[in-house]
Structure formats: C-alpha cells, structure tokens
Amino acid sequence: MRDTPASPSFWRSPLRGPWFTSVLGLVLLVGVTVLFVTGLLSYAAYNPGLNPVNDKTPDKGILGFYLFAWPTSPHWLYRLTQGVHVTLGVTLIPVLLAKLWSVVPKLFALPPARSVTHALERLSLLLLVGGGLFEFVTGVLNVQLDYLFPGSFYPLHFYGAWVFFGAFVAHAVLKVPAAVRNVRRAREEGSLVAPRPDPPTVSRRGALWFVGGGSLLLFATTVGQGFDGPARRTALLAPHGGADPGAGPNGFQINKTAAYAGIDRAETADDAWRLVVVGRSGTVRLSRAELARMPLYSAALPIACVEGWSTSDQWWRGVRLRDLAALVGEGGDPPDVLVESLQRRGAFRHAALRANQVADPRSLLALYVNGEPLSPDHGHPARVIVPAAPGVLNTKWVARLTFGKV
C-alpha cells in the first residue's frame, strides 16, 4: 500500500526538522511584525479618517482606532516607511515559502482535530497560511499594477492583514518559546523529522544559505526603485525599475501619464485653464500667469508611491497652499482642503489633505520643478506637492481647491 500525505513516511526530505523550521519562524517573527507596522503606517498616511474622500475602507469600524493626522516631518517619512514595507515584503517571499514547505506535513496530519484545543490550533494555522499567502500575493500583484483579484486592493489588503496578523500573533504566542529552545539546542526530533529520510544532498545550514541567497537576490532587484539614476535600473522586478523617464528637469519617475489620465491639452492651455479656489469668503479663479505672479516658494521633496517606488528630492516651486487658503478668507490656521483634478477617472482623481498638511510652508501648488515648468506628465499646469504624503495625494492637473471642513 502506497503512503499518503497523511502518513509521516510520505515525507522523505532530511532537511525538515524543528531547528530548520524554528530559524525560519524567528526570521518571519521579526519581518512580518515590521511589515504589519509599516503597513498600518501606510494606511494612516492616506488619512482614511478624513471623510469618505480618502477612505477606501468605510466599514473598518474599530480597526481604525489608531488613525492619526499624518505628520509632514520628516519630509521623507512615507518614502522610508512604504519603501521598507514593499522591499521587505518582496525580500521575505523565499523565507515564507521555505517555512511553508518545512511544515507542510502538519497540514495533512490526521485526524484533523484531536481535541478542541487542537482544532483551534489547526484553525489558526489555516488562517495563518491562507492569510499569509493572500497578503503576499495581493501585495506583489499591486506592486506590479496587476489587479487580478476581485474588488479593490485597499479593503482586501487591509482586512486580510488584520486576519493574518491576528493568526500570526496567536501562533507566535504558542510556538516562539519552543522555537527559541529548538534553535539553542538544535534538537532534531518530533513530527517534522522524516522517519525514513532520503540521503541528504545539502545540509540544513546550506538550505538556509540558499533561502537567504534568494531573499538577497529579490532585495537587490527591488530596492533600486527607491532611487533615481542608474540604481533604478537594478530594480528588475519593480514595474518602474526599467522605465526611462527621460532627461532634463522633468526626467524623473511618474506613475500615470497625462494620456493615461485622459488629460486634454486644450483644457490645460494657458488661455483655457483656470484654478478655482473656494473658501469662506467666496470663490476665486486664477490663471497660471496670475498664480506665477503671486509670491512663489521652493521646497525639496520626493514623490513616493504605494507600490514602493520613490524619487530623490526634486526642487518644486509654486504658491503655498496656506496662501491660497488666505485668498478665500481662510487665514490664520488654514482648514482641510479638497483637491480636485482634471483627471476624470481613478480612485484618487480627488483627494483631501488635513489642516496640518495645508499649513506646512513646504506644501505647494507647484508650477515648476527643477527650474522648469511642469511637463504634462508631471501635472502641468499645476500640481500639489506635500511633504511626507503618499504620491496619490500629491494630485496632478489640479482644477479646484475647496478649503473648509472636508
């Protein structure tokens, strides 16, 4: 009679054992915790508590307990946290797969539940494995801009993260003490050890080096998306890694082109485009030439997107958002602002900024970048640039600013 996956003798690899599994588990303990924390920070940076304008998960309930007004300093904050989140997530893929491979015999063990406690443990394991695969797969697909999953990425990834991390914490509480003992004592006994192993072709330490090498390779082919210049060409696995944004003052990374966003050049021509600014004292309409005659200020700020890519600091020049607020009677402490774009489709064709973001002197309605007018792809005739804000909140092709409680 042939062995089945439920039989311990079916699994013949000599690599499986408590020490190998425990080392991988401890690496994931640290890595997944950092992933979860940086993911929560990324969610907070979108200001989902700022009215439904920015909220892509309106049914979050108590899961939004930690939300706060995202700070504007340091100006590279989102670039760092989201870069770590995406790069670390990709880097941990070999570790996650190796960990699942090392414990796969347990997934087929019979009976499925020997007691109530064992049943709860198996359920947490199912949520842990399923949730982990779901989070990593949806995350990678989002980074690659391949939206193959049903529904919006934001609620799927957000709720999936809470399910996965809840199961992860429960599993860690049960297993970490034993994992630490296994690593210290290098014990090789228990259900994971094959009773009739095949001859080894590599040691367990060699297998760990193989997994680490895979992670290092993924890190090297991903991390470059956070830098301009030749480093970006090393980001082979990033959707923006091989793209050449061209040369000159506007020669830095973009996400959506003007053509993709459906921007009509006739709408952005100097004689047609007007910025509509609305506030307590009424409405003001300004041409680009009138904006250029207002006091202009400069700020060195990066663009950083949820997919993990970012640019180096670019020199932006334009009118401060708080000065535009003052034009319509919102002087002193400026309020929130709703920014609307000429873009006609997409989740962030309009976005809200909090009062602290409007008040920051580096928050601009930019007209120029690196000494030249904005190109169409970078938001001509005007775009918002705010320190530490996700790229999608730095709205391009701005048509209207409405100051007040959003």
Side-chain angles (χ1 to χ4, degrees):
M1 185 176 180
R2 299 181 63 179
D3 290 331
T4 67
S7 172
S9 58
F10 178 85
W11 307 99
R12 307 293 294 275
S13 174
L15 295 179
R16 287 191 180 92
W19 183 83
F20 185 72
T21 297
S22 297
V23 171
L24 295 172
L26 292 175
V27 171
L28 287 174
L29 175 65
V30 176
V32 169
T33 301
V34 174
L35 275 183
F36 185 69
V37 171
T38 52
L40 292 184
L41 291 176
S42 176
Y43 183 72
Y46 276 71
N47 288 322
L50 191 63
N51 198 281
V53 175
N54 290 12
D55 196 349
K56 306 305 174 187
T57 52
D59 299 321
K60 60 186 175 295
I62 62 171
L63 296 182
F65 71 93
Y66 73 96
L67 294 177
F68 55 94
W70 186 250
T72 55
S73 292
H75 70 276
W76 40 259
L77 179 61
Y78 187 77
R79 183 185 183 192
L80 172 66
T81 57
Q82 191 62 14
V84 168
H85 182 73
V86 172
T87 303
L88 179 60
V90 173
T91 301
L92 285 177
I93 289 175
V95 183
L96 176 69
L97 295 178
K99 170 68 174 178
L100 294 178
W101 173 86
S102 72
V103 299
V104 70
K106 287 191 172 183
L107 300 180
F108 292 92
L110 295 176
R114 295 189 296 269
S115 65
V116 173
T117 302
H118 184 242
L120 292 175
E121 181 182 349
R122 292 298 293 273
L123 177 61
S124 71
L125 190 62
L126 177 65
L127 294 175
L128 179 66
V129 174
L133 290 175
F134 179 83
E135 286 299 288
F136 276 81
V137 168
T138 56
V140 169
L141 289 175
N142 182 68
V143 168
Q144 296 298 327
L145 305 178
D146 291 329
Y147 303 112
L148 305 179
F149 35 80
S152 170
F153 168 77
Y154 297 98
L156 289 174
H157 204 66
F158 176 75
Y159 294 126
W162 281 103
V163 171
F164 167 57
F165 196 71
F168 181 79
V169 169
H171 187 75
V173 169
L174 293 172
K175 299 297 183 181
V176 165
V180 172
R181 291 194 299 270
N182 290 335
V183 170
R184 287 177 174 175
R185 301 175 186 175
R187 295 189 308 168
E188 293 303 334
E189 57 186 36
S191 59
L192 292 177
V193 178
R196 292 184 296 164
D198 288 332
T201 57
V202 64
S203 68
R204 290 188 173 95
R205 292 185 184 275
L208 285 178
W209 278 109
F210 178 76
V211 173
S215 289
L216 183 61
L217 178 63
L218 290 179
F219 174 82
T221 51
T222 302
V223 70
Q225 68 177 336
F227 305 92
D228 291 332
R232 191 176 295 278
R233 296 191 180 94
T234 66
L236 302 177
L237 300 182
H240 308 281
D244 186 358
N250 280 271
F252 57 95
Q253 190 63 56
I254 60 171
N255 197 349
K256 296 177 181 176
T257 65
Y260 177 89
I263 302 302
D264 187 341
R265 285 182 178 269
E267 293 180 290
T268 60
D270 289 346
D271 60 347
W273 180 84
R274 294 294 183 271
L275 173 71
V276 179
V277 186
V278 181
R280 185 184 307 166
S281 64
T283 300
V284 174
R285 289 175 172 82
L286 300 166
S287 67
R288 195 175 190 281
E290 289 172 322
L291 285 167
R293 287 195 293 268
M294 293 180 64
L296 301 183
Y297 297 85
S298 297
L301 301 172
I303 294 289
C305 280
V306 69
E307 296 93 359
W309 69 263
S310 60
T311 73
S312 301
D313 289 355
Q314 311 296 324
W315 276 101
W316 307 90
R317 188 163 178 79
V319 182
R320 296 187 300 193
L321 292 183
R322 68 185 192 185
D323 291 345
L324 290 169
L327 274 182
V328 288
E330 303 287 358
D333 294 327
D336 305 334
V337 64
L338 173 65
V339 185
E340 299 177 74
S341 172
L342 291 174
Q343 181 179 342
R344 290 179 175 80
R345 64 179 186 274
F348 288 95
R349 61 187 179 277
H350 51 200
L353 298 173
R354 286 194 184 274
N356 68 306
Q357 294 173 312
V358 176
D360 193 293
R362 296 166 297 177
S363 296
L364 304 175
L365 181 73
L367 306 175
Y368 307 92
V369 63
N370 298 323
E372 294 290 338
L374 296 169
S375 69
D377 288 342
H378 280 298
H380 179 83
R383 70 169 296 163
V384 164
I385 184 73
V386 175
V392 291
L393 299 185
N394 291 297
T395 307
K396 297 193 285 189
W397 313 292
V398 175
R400 186 182 183 95
L401 299 173
T402 303
F403 291 93
K405 184 64 177 177
V406 178

